[in-house]
Each structure stands twice: as C-alpha cells, then as structure tokens.
mmCIF file of all heavy atoms in Angstrom:
data_model
loop_
_atom_site.group_PDB
_atom_site.id
_atom_site.type_symbol
_atom_site.label_atom_id
_atom_site.label_comp_id
_atom_site.label_asym_id
_atom_site.label_seq_id
_atom_site.Cartn_x
_atom_site.Cartn_y
_atom_site.Cartn_z
ATOM 1 N N PRO X 1 103.907 91.719 88.204
ATOM 2 C CA PRO X 1 105.297 91.537 87.711
ATOM 3 C C PRO X 1 105.397 91.865 86.217
ATOM 4 O O PRO X 1 104.480 91.532 85.421
ATOM 5 C CB PRO X 1 105.585 90.086 87.990
ATOM 6 C CG PRO X 1 104.683 89.663 89.036
ATOM 7 C CD PRO X 1 103.445 90.424 88.865
ATOM 8 N N SER X 2 106.376 92.609 85.821
ATOM 9 C CA SER X 2 106.556 93.068 84.476
ATOM 10 C C SER X 2 106.529 91.964 83.418
ATOM 11 O O SER X 2 105.929 92.181 82.319
ATOM 12 C CB SER X 2 107.805 93.900 84.292
ATOM 13 O OG SER X 2 108.957 93.161 84.655
ATOM 14 N N GLN X 3 107.130 90.815 83.686
ATOM 15 C CA GLN X 3 107.165 89.752 82.708
ATOM 16 C C GLN X 3 105.808 89.138 82.491
ATOM 17 O O GLN X 3 105.472 88.762 81.369
ATOM 18 C CB GLN X 3 108.134 88.649 83.192
ATOM 19 C CG GLN X 3 109.568 89.056 83.101
ATOM 20 C CD GLN X 3 110.509 87.940 83.461
ATOM 21 O OE1 GLN X 3 110.200 87.034 84.226
ATOM 22 N NE2 GLN X 3 111.771 87.989 82.937
ATOM 23 N N ILE X 4 104.959 89.110 83.562
ATOM 24 C CA ILE X 4 103.634 88.598 83.369
ATOM 25 C C ILE X 4 102.744 89.593 82.615
ATOM 26 O O ILE X 4 102.046 89.255 81.752
ATOM 27 C CB ILE X 4 103.025 88.295 84.795
ATOM 28 C CG1 ILE X 4 103.787 87.107 85.442
ATOM 29 C CG2 ILE X 4 101.536 87.917 84.663
ATOM 30 C CD1 ILE X 4 103.268 86.773 86.819
ATOM 31 N N ALA X 5 102.909 90.880 83.040
ATOM 32 C CA ALA X 5 102.142 91.875 82.362
ATOM 33 C C ALA X 5 102.416 91.976 80.864
ATOM 34 O O ALA X 5 101.538 92.341 80.064
ATOM 35 C CB ALA X 5 102.355 93.254 83.005
ATOM 36 N N SER X 6 103.672 91.675 80.471
ATOM 37 C CA SER X 6 104.092 91.798 79.082
ATOM 38 C C SER X 6 103.390 90.756 78.158
ATOM 39 O O SER X 6 103.381 90.939 76.961
ATOM 40 C CB SER X 6 105.577 91.688 78.937
ATOM 41 O OG SER X 6 105.999 90.382 79.332
ATOM 42 N N VAL X 7 102.844 89.703 78.720
ATOM 43 C CA VAL X 7 102.246 88.617 77.866
ATOM 44 C C VAL X 7 100.743 88.667 77.933
ATOM 45 O O VAL X 7 100.097 87.797 77.348
ATOM 46 C CB VAL X 7 102.792 87.254 78.333
ATOM 47 C CG1 VAL X 7 104.296 87.146 78.142
ATOM 48 C CG2 VAL X 7 102.401 86.890 79.743
ATOM 49 N N ILE X 8 100.134 89.684 78.572
ATOM 50 C CA ILE X 8 98.746 89.746 78.673
ATOM 51 C C ILE X 8 98.173 90.643 77.628
ATOM 52 O O ILE X 8 98.669 91.770 77.388
ATOM 53 C CB ILE X 8 98.280 90.349 80.098
ATOM 54 C CG1 ILE X 8 98.717 89.294 81.194
ATOM 55 C CG2 ILE X 8 96.856 90.516 80.136
ATOM 56 C CD1 ILE X 8 98.410 89.759 82.623
ATOM 57 N N SER X 9 97.180 90.187 76.914
ATOM 58 C CA SER X 9 96.577 90.897 75.771
ATOM 59 C C SER X 9 95.617 92.059 76.308
ATOM 60 O O SER X 9 95.238 91.959 77.474
ATOM 61 C CB SER X 9 95.829 89.962 74.836
ATOM 62 O OG SER X 9 94.720 89.374 75.502
ATOM 63 N N SER X 10 95.287 92.945 75.422
ATOM 64 C CA SER X 10 94.346 94.045 75.778
ATOM 65 C C SER X 10 92.991 93.488 76.091
ATOM 66 O O SER X 10 92.364 94.034 77.006
ATOM 67 C CB SER X 10 94.241 95.011 74.598
ATOM 68 O OG SER X 10 93.835 94.353 73.389
ATOM 69 N N GLU X 11 92.598 92.343 75.458
ATOM 70 C CA GLU X 11 91.310 91.669 75.776
ATOM 71 C C GLU X 11 91.327 91.153 77.197
ATOM 72 O O GLU X 11 90.318 91.273 77.983
ATOM 73 C CB GLU X 11 91.045 90.605 74.825
ATOM 74 C CG GLU X 11 90.720 91.076 73.418
ATOM 75 C CD GLU X 11 91.950 91.429 72.589
ATOM 76 O OE1 GLU X 11 93.046 91.121 73.153
ATOM 77 O OE2 GLU X 11 91.833 92.004 71.489
ATOM 78 N N GLN X 12 92.451 90.614 77.622
ATOM 79 C CA GLN X 12 92.597 89.991 78.915
ATOM 80 C C GLN X 12 92.617 91.157 80.004
ATOM 81 O O GLN X 12 92.051 91.049 81.075
ATOM 82 C CB GLN X 12 93.819 89.174 79.088
ATOM 83 C CG GLN X 12 93.707 87.926 78.348
ATOM 84 C CD GLN X 12 95.063 87.104 78.214
ATOM 85 O OE1 GLN X 12 96.141 87.727 78.090
ATOM 86 N NE2 GLN X 12 95.015 85.824 78.441
ATOM 87 N N PHE X 13 93.313 92.273 79.679
ATOM 88 C CA PHE X 13 93.209 93.438 80.546
ATOM 89 C C PHE X 13 91.866 93.963 80.778
ATOM 90 O O PHE X 13 91.363 94.273 81.832
ATOM 91 C CB PHE X 13 94.083 94.526 80.008
ATOM 92 C CG PHE X 13 95.573 94.422 80.409
ATOM 93 C CD1 PHE X 13 96.559 94.313 79.464
ATOM 94 C CD2 PHE X 13 95.920 94.478 81.754
ATOM 95 C CE1 PHE X 13 97.870 94.214 79.841
ATOM 96 C CE2 PHE X 13 97.235 94.354 82.124
ATOM 97 C CZ PHE X 13 98.218 94.180 81.203
ATOM 98 N N GLU X 14 91.054 93.945 79.615
ATOM 99 C CA GLU X 14 89.698 94.477 79.702
ATOM 100 C C GLU X 14 88.832 93.543 80.593
ATOM 101 O O GLU X 14 88.036 93.922 81.362
ATOM 102 C CB GLU X 14 89.157 94.556 78.300
ATOM 103 C CG GLU X 14 87.613 94.963 78.239
ATOM 104 C CD GLU X 14 87.405 96.319 78.899
ATOM 105 O OE1 GLU X 14 88.277 97.163 78.958
ATOM 106 O OE2 GLU X 14 86.236 96.572 79.249
ATOM 107 N N GLU X 15 89.056 92.238 80.398
ATOM 108 C CA GLU X 15 88.363 91.240 81.288
ATOM 109 C C GLU X 15 88.651 91.430 82.693
ATOM 110 O O GLU X 15 87.735 91.360 83.569
ATOM 111 C CB GLU X 15 88.676 89.832 80.846
ATOM 112 C CG GLU X 15 87.901 88.804 81.557
ATOM 113 C CD GLU X 15 88.254 87.331 81.144
ATOM 114 O OE1 GLU X 15 89.083 87.202 80.151
ATOM 115 O OE2 GLU X 15 87.726 86.412 81.736
ATOM 116 N N MET X 16 89.942 91.694 83.040
ATOM 117 C CA MET X 16 90.273 91.947 84.450
ATOM 118 C C MET X 16 89.628 93.140 84.911
ATOM 119 O O MET X 16 89.219 93.242 86.081
ATOM 120 C CB MET X 16 91.800 91.968 84.546
ATOM 121 C CG MET X 16 92.489 90.596 84.528
ATOM 122 S SD MET X 16 94.231 90.662 84.992
ATOM 123 C CE MET X 16 94.883 91.103 83.360
ATOM 124 N N ARG X 17 89.608 94.202 84.091
ATOM 125 C CA ARG X 17 89.082 95.493 84.473
ATOM 126 C C ARG X 17 87.619 95.355 84.851
ATOM 127 O O ARG X 17 87.146 95.876 85.850
ATOM 128 C CB ARG X 17 89.239 96.553 83.418
ATOM 129 C CG ARG X 17 88.803 97.928 83.848
ATOM 130 C CD ARG X 17 89.076 98.927 82.747
ATOM 131 N NE ARG X 17 88.203 98.735 81.593
ATOM 132 C CZ ARG X 17 86.996 99.290 81.494
ATOM 133 N NH1 ARG X 17 86.516 100.040 82.480
ATOM 134 N NH2 ARG X 17 86.274 99.081 80.416
ATOM 135 N N GLN X 18 86.881 94.598 84.034
ATOM 136 C CA GLN X 18 85.446 94.356 84.350
ATOM 137 C C GLN X 18 85.247 93.607 85.602
ATOM 138 O O GLN X 18 84.289 93.918 86.404
ATOM 139 C CB GLN X 18 84.814 93.664 83.131
ATOM 140 C CG GLN X 18 84.749 94.503 81.852
ATOM 141 C CD GLN X 18 84.149 93.745 80.707
ATOM 142 O OE1 GLN X 18 83.684 92.589 80.854
ATOM 143 N NE2 GLN X 18 84.206 94.305 79.500
ATOM 144 N N LYS X 19 86.067 92.595 85.867
ATOM 145 C CA LYS X 19 85.991 91.789 87.121
ATOM 146 C C LYS X 19 86.312 92.674 88.293
ATOM 147 O O LYS X 19 85.606 92.532 89.332
ATOM 148 C CB LYS X 19 86.928 90.615 87.037
ATOM 149 C CG LYS X 19 86.437 89.470 86.105
ATOM 150 C CD LYS X 19 87.343 88.290 86.196
ATOM 151 C CE LYS X 19 86.860 87.164 85.237
ATOM 152 N NZ LYS X 19 87.731 85.974 85.290
ATOM 153 N N LEU X 20 87.274 93.530 88.211
ATOM 154 C CA LEU X 20 87.635 94.404 89.295
ATOM 155 C C LEU X 20 86.517 95.393 89.601
ATOM 156 O O LEU X 20 86.226 95.763 90.762
ATOM 157 C CB LEU X 20 88.929 95.190 88.980
ATOM 158 C CG LEU X 20 90.207 94.354 88.934
ATOM 159 C CD1 LEU X 20 91.399 95.145 88.443
ATOM 160 C CD2 LEU X 20 90.567 93.862 90.393
ATOM 161 N N ASN X 21 85.794 95.863 88.526
ATOM 162 C CA ASN X 21 84.705 96.793 88.742
ATOM 163 C C ASN X 21 83.583 96.122 89.436
ATOM 164 O O ASN X 21 82.709 96.867 90.005
ATOM 165 C CB ASN X 21 84.239 97.419 87.405
ATOM 166 C CG ASN X 21 85.269 98.442 86.894
ATOM 167 O OD1 ASN X 21 85.882 99.132 87.646
ATOM 168 N ND2 ASN X 21 85.296 98.556 85.555
ATOM 169 N N ARG X 22 83.431 94.801 89.304
ATOM 170 C CA ARG X 22 82.372 94.086 89.942
ATOM 171 C C ARG X 22 82.602 93.683 91.376
ATOM 172 O O ARG X 22 81.735 93.172 92.126
ATOM 173 C CB ARG X 22 81.987 92.870 89.110
ATOM 174 C CG ARG X 22 81.336 93.097 87.804
ATOM 175 C CD ARG X 22 80.675 91.940 87.213
ATOM 176 N NE ARG X 22 81.621 90.905 86.895
ATOM 177 C CZ ARG X 22 82.226 90.719 85.700
ATOM 178 N NH1 ARG X 22 81.919 91.575 84.702
ATOM 179 N NH2 ARG X 22 83.095 89.782 85.457
ATOM 180 N N LEU X 23 83.864 93.887 91.863
ATOM 181 C CA LEU X 23 84.205 93.602 93.232
ATOM 182 C C LEU X 23 83.498 94.511 94.143
ATOM 183 O O LEU X 23 83.189 95.636 93.848
ATOM 184 C CB LEU X 23 85.738 93.694 93.479
ATOM 185 C CG LEU X 23 86.611 92.640 92.727
ATOM 186 C CD1 LEU X 23 88.078 92.998 93.048
ATOM 187 C CD2 LEU X 23 86.309 91.257 93.316
ATOM 188 N N PRO X 24 83.189 93.992 95.402
ATOM 189 C CA PRO X 24 82.578 94.873 96.424
ATOM 190 C C PRO X 24 83.546 96.042 96.798
ATOM 191 O O PRO X 24 84.799 95.882 96.700
ATOM 192 C CB PRO X 24 82.302 93.941 97.583
ATOM 193 C CG PRO X 24 83.252 92.795 97.462
ATOM 194 C CD PRO X 24 83.427 92.643 95.918
ATOM 195 N N ALA X 25 82.972 97.094 97.264
ATOM 196 C CA ALA X 25 83.795 98.234 97.638
ATOM 197 C C ALA X 25 84.811 97.840 98.786
ATOM 198 O O ALA X 25 84.380 97.231 99.748
ATOM 199 C CB ALA X 25 82.940 99.393 98.156
ATOM 200 N N PRO X 26 86.038 98.217 98.650
ATOM 201 C CA PRO X 26 87.019 97.858 99.645
ATOM 202 C C PRO X 26 86.763 98.634 100.979
ATOM 203 O O PRO X 26 86.244 99.742 100.901
ATOM 204 C CB PRO X 26 88.380 98.212 99.051
ATOM 205 C CG PRO X 26 88.011 99.279 98.049
ATOM 206 C CD PRO X 26 86.680 98.990 97.558
ATOM 207 N N PRO X 27 87.298 98.150 102.092
ATOM 208 C CA PRO X 27 87.093 98.879 103.350
ATOM 209 C C PRO X 27 87.886 100.174 103.391
ATOM 210 O O PRO X 27 88.963 100.290 102.783
ATOM 211 C CB PRO X 27 87.586 97.895 104.428
ATOM 212 C CG PRO X 27 88.597 97.002 103.715
ATOM 213 C CD PRO X 27 88.028 96.824 102.306
ATOM 214 N N THR X 28 87.353 101.133 104.015
ATOM 215 C CA THR X 28 88.054 102.437 104.232
ATOM 216 C C THR X 28 88.031 102.822 105.655
ATOM 217 O O THR X 28 86.899 103.057 106.228
ATOM 218 C CB THR X 28 87.413 103.515 103.318
ATOM 219 O OG1 THR X 28 87.395 103.064 102.002
ATOM 220 C CG2 THR X 28 88.200 104.787 103.394
ATOM 221 N N PRO X 29 89.095 103.043 106.355
ATOM 222 C CA PRO X 29 90.449 102.790 105.881
ATOM 223 C C PRO X 29 90.786 101.305 105.758
ATOM 224 O O PRO X 29 89.988 100.435 106.247
ATOM 225 C CB PRO X 29 91.294 103.504 106.965
ATOM 226 C CG PRO X 29 90.474 103.333 108.182
ATOM 227 C CD PRO X 29 89.062 103.487 107.803
ATOM 228 N N PRO X 30 91.986 100.939 105.222
ATOM 229 C CA PRO X 30 92.293 99.537 105.081
ATOM 230 C C PRO X 30 92.457 98.892 106.461
ATOM 231 O O PRO X 30 92.851 99.542 107.396
ATOM 232 C CB PRO X 30 93.643 99.558 104.310
ATOM 233 C CG PRO X 30 94.157 100.914 104.499
ATOM 234 C CD PRO X 30 92.952 101.848 104.573
ATOM 235 N N ARG X 31 92.175 97.599 106.508
ATOM 236 C CA ARG X 31 92.308 96.873 107.770
ATOM 237 C C ARG X 31 93.172 95.687 107.668
ATOM 238 O O ARG X 31 93.148 95.015 106.555
ATOM 239 C CB ARG X 31 90.882 96.456 108.325
ATOM 240 C CG ARG X 31 89.982 97.585 108.620
ATOM 241 C CD ARG X 31 88.733 97.133 109.404
ATOM 242 N NE ARG X 31 87.917 96.286 108.519
ATOM 243 C CZ ARG X 31 86.898 96.754 107.833
ATOM 244 N NH1 ARG X 31 86.623 98.094 107.859
ATOM 245 N NH2 ARG X 31 86.169 96.010 107.090
ATOM 246 N N LEU X 32 93.886 95.337 108.636
ATOM 247 C CA LEU X 32 94.756 94.117 108.655
ATOM 248 C C LEU X 32 93.822 92.996 108.854
ATOM 249 O O LEU X 32 92.976 92.949 109.704
ATOM 250 C CB LEU X 32 95.815 94.218 109.716
ATOM 251 C CG LEU X 32 96.907 95.335 109.626
ATOM 252 C CD1 LEU X 32 97.824 95.243 110.771
ATOM 253 C CD2 LEU X 32 97.669 95.153 108.273
ATOM 254 N N SER X 33 94.171 91.892 108.052
ATOM 255 C CA SER X 33 93.371 90.586 108.174
ATOM 256 C C SER X 33 93.990 89.723 109.230
ATOM 257 O O SER X 33 95.048 90.039 109.781
ATOM 258 C CB SER X 33 93.395 89.890 106.845
ATOM 259 O OG SER X 33 94.739 89.456 106.537
ATOM 260 N N LYS X 34 93.307 88.638 109.557
ATOM 261 C CA LYS X 34 93.836 87.678 110.512
ATOM 262 C C LYS X 34 95.174 87.141 110.080
ATOM 263 O O LYS X 34 96.091 86.947 110.852
ATOM 264 C CB LYS X 34 92.821 86.532 110.708
ATOM 265 C CG LYS X 34 93.334 85.488 111.710
ATOM 266 C CD LYS X 34 92.231 84.446 111.926
ATOM 267 C CE LYS X 34 92.001 83.616 110.675
ATOM 268 N NZ LYS X 34 91.023 82.511 110.814
ATOM 269 N N ASP X 35 95.345 86.861 108.715
ATOM 270 C CA ASP X 35 96.591 86.392 108.199
ATOM 271 C C ASP X 35 97.728 87.405 108.407
ATOM 272 O O ASP X 35 98.888 87.042 108.664
ATOM 273 C CB ASP X 35 96.408 86.049 106.784
ATOM 274 C CG ASP X 35 95.676 84.786 106.557
ATOM 275 O OD1 ASP X 35 95.638 83.915 107.483
ATOM 276 O OD2 ASP X 35 95.065 84.518 105.433
ATOM 277 N N ASP X 36 97.327 88.689 108.290
ATOM 278 C CA ASP X 36 98.393 89.749 108.483
ATOM 279 C C ASP X 36 98.883 89.737 109.951
ATOM 280 O O ASP X 36 100.101 89.796 110.160
ATOM 281 C CB ASP X 36 97.812 91.123 108.108
ATOM 282 C CG ASP X 36 97.455 91.242 106.661
ATOM 283 O OD1 ASP X 36 98.263 90.728 105.850
ATOM 284 O OD2 ASP X 36 96.466 91.894 106.324
ATOM 285 N N TRP X 37 97.964 89.657 110.854
ATOM 286 C CA TRP X 37 98.345 89.581 112.259
ATOM 287 C C TRP X 37 99.214 88.346 112.585
ATOM 288 O O TRP X 37 100.214 88.448 113.263
ATOM 289 C CB TRP X 37 97.126 89.641 113.143
ATOM 290 C CG TRP X 37 96.373 90.963 113.229
ATOM 291 C CD1 TRP X 37 95.141 91.223 112.658
ATOM 292 C CD2 TRP X 37 96.872 92.152 113.739
ATOM 293 N NE1 TRP X 37 94.793 92.471 112.811
ATOM 294 C CE2 TRP X 37 95.821 93.112 113.493
ATOM 295 C CE3 TRP X 37 97.982 92.510 114.468
ATOM 296 C CZ2 TRP X 37 95.955 94.424 113.928
ATOM 297 C CZ3 TRP X 37 98.112 93.866 114.901
ATOM 298 C CH2 TRP X 37 97.116 94.823 114.632
ATOM 299 N N PHE X 38 98.764 87.174 112.006
ATOM 300 C CA PHE X 38 99.553 86.016 112.290
ATOM 301 C C PHE X 38 100.915 86.043 111.613
ATOM 302 O O PHE X 38 101.915 85.522 112.055
ATOM 303 C CB PHE X 38 98.770 84.763 111.759
ATOM 304 C CG PHE X 38 97.849 84.239 112.813
ATOM 305 C CD1 PHE X 38 96.464 84.154 112.452
ATOM 306 C CD2 PHE X 38 98.205 83.757 113.989
ATOM 307 C CE1 PHE X 38 95.534 83.727 113.378
ATOM 308 C CE2 PHE X 38 97.292 83.286 114.921
ATOM 309 C CZ PHE X 38 95.959 83.241 114.621
ATOM 310 N N GLY X 39 100.992 86.795 110.420
ATOM 311 C CA GLY X 39 102.292 86.942 109.801
ATOM 312 C C GLY X 39 103.273 87.719 110.645
ATOM 313 O O GLY X 39 104.456 87.329 110.749
ATOM 314 N N GLY X 40 102.815 88.776 111.291
ATOM 315 C CA GLY X 40 103.642 89.506 112.213
ATOM 316 C C GLY X 40 104.121 88.686 113.445
ATOM 317 O O GLY X 40 105.302 88.738 113.830
ATOM 318 N N VAL X 41 103.162 87.808 113.945
ATOM 319 C CA VAL X 41 103.567 86.915 115.034
ATOM 320 C C VAL X 41 104.606 85.936 114.562
ATOM 321 O O VAL X 41 105.591 85.683 115.320
ATOM 322 C CB VAL X 41 102.335 86.215 115.540
ATOM 323 C CG1 VAL X 41 102.747 85.105 116.546
ATOM 324 C CG2 VAL X 41 101.367 87.152 116.227
ATOM 325 N N ARG X 42 104.458 85.513 113.330
ATOM 326 C CA ARG X 42 105.462 84.490 112.822
ATOM 327 C C ARG X 42 106.848 85.224 112.624
ATOM 328 O O ARG X 42 107.883 84.580 112.985
ATOM 329 C CB ARG X 42 105.006 83.937 111.507
ATOM 330 C CG ARG X 42 106.072 83.012 110.891
ATOM 331 C CD ARG X 42 105.514 82.212 109.701
ATOM 332 N NE ARG X 42 104.683 81.142 110.202
ATOM 333 C CZ ARG X 42 104.167 80.205 109.410
ATOM 334 N NH1 ARG X 42 104.515 80.146 108.111
ATOM 335 N NH2 ARG X 42 103.411 79.208 109.880
ATOM 336 N N VAL X 43 106.857 86.469 112.188
ATOM 337 C CA VAL X 43 108.081 87.228 112.076
ATOM 338 C C VAL X 43 108.783 87.247 113.503
ATOM 339 O O VAL X 43 109.982 87.028 113.638
ATOM 340 C CB VAL X 43 107.873 88.631 111.559
ATOM 341 C CG1 VAL X 43 109.120 89.482 111.740
ATOM 342 C CG2 VAL X 43 107.499 88.529 110.094
ATOM 343 N N PHE X 44 107.985 87.565 114.529
ATOM 344 C CA PHE X 44 108.558 87.656 115.880
ATOM 345 C C PHE X 44 109.132 86.348 116.308
ATOM 346 O O PHE X 44 110.261 86.325 116.840
ATOM 347 C CB PHE X 44 107.434 88.095 116.846
ATOM 348 C CG PHE X 44 107.767 87.994 118.301
ATOM 349 C CD1 PHE X 44 108.557 89.027 118.861
ATOM 350 C CD2 PHE X 44 107.383 86.944 119.013
ATOM 351 C CE1 PHE X 44 108.938 88.992 120.203
ATOM 352 C CE2 PHE X 44 107.714 86.865 120.400
ATOM 353 C CZ PHE X 44 108.498 87.869 120.996
ATOM 354 N N LEU X 45 108.380 85.262 116.095
ATOM 355 C CA LEU X 45 108.859 83.905 116.504
ATOM 356 C C LEU X 45 110.145 83.491 115.793
ATOM 357 O O LEU X 45 111.042 82.887 116.404
ATOM 358 C CB LEU X 45 107.770 82.898 116.256
ATOM 359 C CG LEU X 45 106.541 83.060 117.184
ATOM 360 C CD1 LEU X 45 105.482 82.032 116.791
ATOM 361 C CD2 LEU X 45 106.907 82.908 118.665
ATOM 362 N N ILE X 46 110.200 83.803 114.484
ATOM 363 C CA ILE X 46 111.435 83.429 113.784
ATOM 364 C C ILE X 46 112.683 84.113 114.308
ATOM 365 O O ILE X 46 113.690 83.500 114.591
ATOM 366 C CB ILE X 46 111.238 83.730 112.225
ATOM 367 C CG1 ILE X 46 110.190 82.730 111.600
ATOM 368 C CG2 ILE X 46 112.567 83.626 111.482
ATOM 369 C CD1 ILE X 46 109.851 83.129 110.182
ATOM 370 N N VAL X 47 112.502 85.456 114.535
ATOM 371 C CA VAL X 47 113.664 86.220 114.966
ATOM 372 C C VAL X 47 114.105 85.773 116.349
ATOM 373 O O VAL X 47 115.312 85.758 116.661
ATOM 374 C CB VAL X 47 113.322 87.768 114.983
ATOM 375 C CG1 VAL X 47 114.435 88.531 115.648
ATOM 376 C CG2 VAL X 47 113.012 88.236 113.559
#
C-alpha cells in the first residue's frame, strides 16, 4: 500500500530485499494453496 511504502526507509527496503533473496525459489508455475481452494468454496457457500 502506498501509505505504508511512503514511511519505509531505504535501509528497511534493503533489509527486505536481502530477506527476499534468501527465500526459497517459488514454484513454477504458481499453484493454488489449500487456503485458496477453501476460499473459493466459501465464496460459493456465501452466494
């Protein structure tokens, strides 16, 4: 969100960048998680 990004310093951005670089490689192609599937089911039930 723009308001949150506006209060983050360059040092904090650098810290985030380093943490992101240490994350494991994401799946390719992207996959839906169990929560995603349950989210769709909840949408159906609400409607």
Side-chain angles (χ1 to χ4, degrees):
S2 57
Q3 289 185 331
I4 295 178
S6 65
V7 299
I8 296 179
S9 65
S10 57
E11 291 79 9
Q12 291 171 319
F13 274 120
E14 176 61 22
E15 183 180 356
M16 281 188 278
R17 185 177 71 86
Q18 293 178 6
K19 288 183 177 181
L20 290 171
N21 285 332
R22 291 195 295 267
L23 289 176
T28 305
R31 293 191 295 267
L32 294 178
S33 67
K34 181 176 67 175
D35 286 336
D36 294 323
W37 289 110
F38 276 118
V41 172
R42 176 168 286 190
V43 167
F44 171 80
L45 291 176
I46 291 174
V47 174

